[in-house]
Amino acid sequence: MPSFLGYFGYPALDLHSLNEQVVHGIPSPEQALRPGDVISIDCGAILHGWNGDSALTVGVGEIDPADQAMLDACAASMWAGIAQAVAGNRLGDISHAVEKSVRASGDYGLIREYTGHGIGTEMHMDPVCQELRAARGRDRGCAPGWRWRSSR
């Protein structure tokens, strides 16, 4: 079953963010895709009481090299964070890895208001993971079996 439709009044099955839109855009028939656009598509589903939530950002046809570099920086930061999501580490280790990777990739910004979140029997659950550096070693520890995704 789709999980976004009706979630806090959301009017669509999935989320579309085009070009400068950050995240959680509402699909619109007035937004036709054109070569060179960058689109993020975020989909969610509930199966046997468990939520799934995944997003993919891709270029439409050939995209500007600067846009491709941004997509590559985002992917690298995601993998850097995932590499730190192990038992014994802390959420701040994940945040630090994401921020460090983004900063090393170029002049990209990080949006303080967006976080990663746990997911399971609810769409948004603990733990919340800041995508900007937290106080390393003084925040919540990672636990085996946690599931979370980024809200980017």
Side-chain angles (χ1 to χ4, degrees):
M1 157 184 354
S3 58
F4 294 161
L5 182 62
Y7 186 69
F8 289 103
Y10 189 74
L13 293 173
D14 52 16
L15 310 163
H16 295 179
S17 304
L18 187 60
N19 298 322
E20 293 83 14
Q21 292 178 322
V22 178
V23 294
H24 303 151
I26 298 173
S28 167
E30 288 81 41
Q31 274 188 325
L33 296 177
R34 295 180 183 85
D37 282 342
V38 174
I39 186 167
S40 292
I41 302 170
D42 191 347
C43 300
I46 302 170
L47 182 64
H48 305 298
W50 292 93
N51 283 265
D53 181 12
S54 186
L56 175 68
T57 303
V58 295
V60 178
E62 189 172 328
I63 63 173
D64 185 278
D67 290 338
Q68 185 61 55
M70 180 190 64
L71 295 181
D72 295 343
C74 290
S77 72
M78 176 189 72
W79 290 113
I82 289 171
Q84 295 302 311
V86 296
N89 274 1
R90 300 206 166 267
L91 295 178
D93 296 321
I94 298 168
S95 301
H96 177 76
V98 169
E99 181 178 1
K100 183 178 176 184
S101 177
V102 169
R103 302 264 186 247
S105 296
D107 189 24
Y108 301 110
L110 290 160
I111 300 171
R112 289 188 186 280
E113 291 81 11
Y114 288 97
T115 62
H117 61 84
I119 189 166
T121 56
E122 302 283 332
M123 174 60 66
H124 297 101
M125 299 176 66
D126 282 338
V128 171
C129 184
Q130 298 294 322
E131 293 176 0
L132 289 172
R133 187 175 301 142
R136 293 181 77 192
R138 288 184 275 164
D139 58 351
R140 191 168 181 181
C142 297
W146 272 0
R147 304 288 183 263
W148 63 82
R149 74 167 302 269
S150 174
S151 293
R152 281 188 273 176

